[in-house]
Structures are given as C-alpha cells and as structure tokens.
Amino acid sequence: MKKRTFYAILVIFLLIMASLSVVVYAYNNFSKVINPEKKPLAVKPVGAPYGGKLYKIDFESYLTGDPFIDLNMTLRSSYDKITIIVGDPSLKGCSGMECALRKRTAMELGLMIGAIYGVKPYVENIQKGANNTSALYKAAYEAMKNVKSDYLNMRQKIDIGLGRIGNKKHLVIIFLGPKEGATENRVFCPRQGVLVIEGTSEDTLFVEVLTIKRLIGSAVK
C-alpha cells in the first residue's frame, strides 16, 4: 500500500472516530440534561387539582435554590429562538386519545410561550407609535416566526447535548411522557435555557403545563 493511500485511509478513519466521539459525548450530555446526576438544590411539591383529581407535581431547582425562580427566570428571559420538543417521533401524525392530548398540551404550552414572547415586541411597537391592533399583530408574527415545535430525534438530542439549543439565546422545552419513558411527575430547569416537563401520564403533562401557567402568572386564559 502506498504511503499516500495509507495516510488518506488513516485521515478518514480518524475523522469517522472523531465524529462518533462527538455523537457519543452529545448523547451522554443529553441524558444528563433530562436525568441530572446531581441532586436538586430544592424540591417543592405542588398539588394541582384538575378534573376531580389531585395531581402531585415536584418542582425541582438546579439553578437558584428556588424552583419557581428557576421557572420564571427561564421562561421570561429574552431569547432569539424557542423550540418546543413535543415528544417521541412516533407521536407525529398519530391518532388516538393519548396523541390528541399530547397535541393539546403542546398547543397550550405554545400559546403561553407566544404570549410571554410577544410582550417585548408588543411594547416596542407601541412605543414606536403603532396602535394596539397593529402592535398585537406584529407581536404575534414575531412569536410565530421564532417559536417552533419539533420531535425528539437523534439530531435534537445531539443539538441539546452539545448546547447548540438550550442556552441563553435559544430556549428549549422538552416534554417527557409515557412514550419517552417518564418515571416521575416533575418540572425542572437543568441548565440555563432548558425546561423539562416530565409526567408519567398524558393528563399529568397537561396539568403540569396548566400549573406552570398559573405559577408564572401568564395572561393566557
């Protein structure tokens, strides 16, 4: 084998190994995001009544020591983009009660995020002299343009693991339900720009979103 051919094969091999190392590193980091290795600084259980049933939800803090401050700080910070990870790809285009409820939950969250995200452009347009209707329209447009939904595929896991999304410029909100192997009913922000909503049933996920809305004082009804 010529030296040139050998070195070319060696370079290709090293590139493949480097790429695999990045994927493994990113995947491991993603696992640590949704299942933090360290214990939370504080846990505050909340009882949320809905439909004649009381749901127990743990709000965990990994940032400030107060999970409600973590929540407000994470959701009300200024971001360039926001991504809502609806769940496992198998939920895309599926039918049935569970799928319908997950979509409803994602929509409820999207409305809340849009309302929060639209406050800044609304105020800015009012200050520029726009009337209320025009300011609301422009705020809604900004929210629609910069808030998107996606499903939890390998690319998303790598992007979250590498911090490409889920940072101070790009908020990511991740739903973990029965399809994603949820084992607890909890809400937490493992790092800046990441919010994880985990529920062992689809109705629990929905109630968790309603509870988040109440806790942050969202104007969305």
Side-chain angles (χ1 to χ4, degrees):
M1 183 184 294
K2 294 182 179 180
K3 284 186 176 181
R4 183 176 297 177
T5 303
F6 171 77
Y7 286 130
I9 294 173
L10 180 61
V11 168
I12 292 171
F13 174 76
L14 291 174
L15 288 173
I16 292 172
M17 291 304 296
S19 298
L20 288 174
S21 297
V22 170
V23 170
V24 171
Y25 170 81
Y27 191 83
N28 286 337
N29 272 4
F30 170 76
S31 297
K32 292 176 183 177
V33 167
I34 61 172
N35 291 296
E37 294 178 339
K38 60 182 180 180
K39 291 184 178 180
L41 300 172
V43 179
K44 291 188 178 181
V46 172
Y50 183 80
K53 182 179 176 181
L54 184 66
Y55 294 80
K56 182 181 175 294
I57 305 162
D58 285 335
F59 284 78
E60 300 178 350
S61 173
Y62 292 89
L63 303 178
T64 68
D66 186 325
F68 303 142
I69 292 177
D70 287 7
L71 188 63
N72 270 281
M73 183 176 68
T74 299
L75 288 179
R76 293 192 181 280
S77 292
S78 179
Y79 299 98
D80 294 334
K81 292 186 180 297
I82 298 173
T83 299
I84 299 171
I85 304 295
V86 177
D88 188 84
S90 63
L91 292 165
K92 189 176 182 179
C94 68
S95 59
M97 185 62 70
E98 288 187 353
C99 295
L101 188 50
R102 180 69 67 95
K103 290 174 182 176
R104 183 185 174 191
T105 302
M107 184 179 298
E108 191 77 25
L109 178 67
L111 288 171
M112 178 184 69
I113 295 301
I116 296 171
Y117 192 83
V119 170
K120 184 179 178 182
Y122 171 78
V123 172
E124 288 175 347
N125 282 292
I126 288 292
Q127 290 174 342
K128 291 176 182 178
N131 60 42
N132 186 63
T133 302
S134 177
L136 285 171
Y137 174 81
K138 290 179 180 178
Y141 173 76
E142 285 297 317
M144 182 177 65
K145 183 176 67 173
N146 295 306
V147 180
K148 70 172 186 176
S149 298
D150 211 334
Y151 290 85
L152 191 58
N153 52 41
M154 181 60 72
R155 180 176 61 83
Q156 294 291 357
K157 292 179 180 180
I158 291 173
D159 284 345
I160 294 168
L162 293 177
R164 292 172 181 163
I165 63 176
N167 53 55
K168 63 182 181 180
K169 292 186 177 181
H170 191 149
L171 172 66
V172 63
I173 303 172
I174 308 167
F175 280 119
L176 299 176
K179 286 278 188 181
E180 297 76 31
T183 58
E184 299 181 59
N185 299 325
R186 59 177 179 162
V187 176
F188 62 99
C189 304
R191 72 174 188 230
Q192 184 179 13
V194 179
L195 172 62
V196 179
I197 305 173
E198 181 179 1
T200 54
S201 66
E202 294 299 333
D203 55 324
T204 301
L205 283 176
F206 181 69
V207 173
E208 284 175 335
V209 170
L210 296 181
T211 305
I212 290 169
K213 282 178 58 176
R214 177 172 59 83
L215 288 172
I216 66 168
S218 172
V220 181
K221 301 300 181 181

